[in-house]
């Protein structure tokens, strides 16, 4: 089992035998989906909720198109974290998205 598989499994994913989908993408899709559901169910309104919803939708779209661009993933994560970081009820879901994004590694240095 590779390192990525361990983290993806901790996000609730199991590798599909015979699937050529990157398990990091599947893990990211699951984490984003979970946080989107938690955000939708959260009753309180807060100023940056729309930003969080838009960026989570963008992250979800990236998981459908194959290998996401690392700088774009990190930018979306930063915006989501800024938007929902103070909402303690969403902390676990945000941490799962962060862990899934980190599996893709660091963006290339300029």
């Amino acid at each position: 089992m590779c390192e990525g598989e361990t983290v993806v499994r901790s996000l609730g994913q199991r590798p599909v035998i015979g699937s050529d989908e990157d398990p990091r993408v599947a893990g990211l899709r699951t984490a984003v989906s979970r946080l989107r559901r938690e955000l939708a169910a959260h009753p309180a309104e807060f100023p940056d909720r729309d930003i969080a919803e838009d960026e989570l939708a963008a992250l979800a779209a990236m998981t459908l198109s194959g290998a996401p661009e690392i700088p774009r993933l990190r930018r979306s994560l930063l915006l989501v974290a800024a938007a929902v970081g103070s909402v303690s009820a969403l902390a676990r879901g945000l941490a799962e998205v962060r862990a899934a994004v980190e599996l893709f590694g660091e963006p290339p240095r300029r």
Side-chain angles (χ1 to χ4, degrees):
M1 176 175 4
C2 71
E3 177 184 332
E5 245 180 61
T6 301
V7 175
V8 169
R9 285 185 181 181
S10 72
L11 294 173
Q13 289 292 309
R14 285 183 237 121
V16 177
I17 296 174
S19 171
D20 58 352
E21 181 180 37
D22 185 336
R24 298 174 303 170
V25 174
L28 178 61
R29 182 181 311 114
T30 299
V32 167
S33 177
R34 183 174 296 131
L35 183 55
R36 288 179 85 184
R37 285 190 311 270
E38 290 172 3
L39 180 58
H42 191 68
E45 286 300 320
F46 47 92
D48 295 329
R49 186 182 191 118
D50 290 342
I51 294 169
E53 290 170 346
D54 290 347
E55 288 305 316
L56 286 169
L59 282 167
M62 284 185 243
T63 66
L64 299 176
S65 62
E69 296 176 31
I70 295 170
R72 180 67 176 108
L73 277 177
R74 293 194 168 277
R75 178 183 178 278
S76 289
L77 174 61
L78 180 62
L79 289 169
V80 171
V84 303
S86 65
V87 182
S88 61
L90 302 175
R92 182 174 178 208
L94 178 60
E96 289 177 358
V97 171
R98 179 177 176 241
V101 168
E102 287 179 350
L103 291 176
F104 288 90
E106 293 292 322
R109 297 240 178 212
R110 294 182 190 186

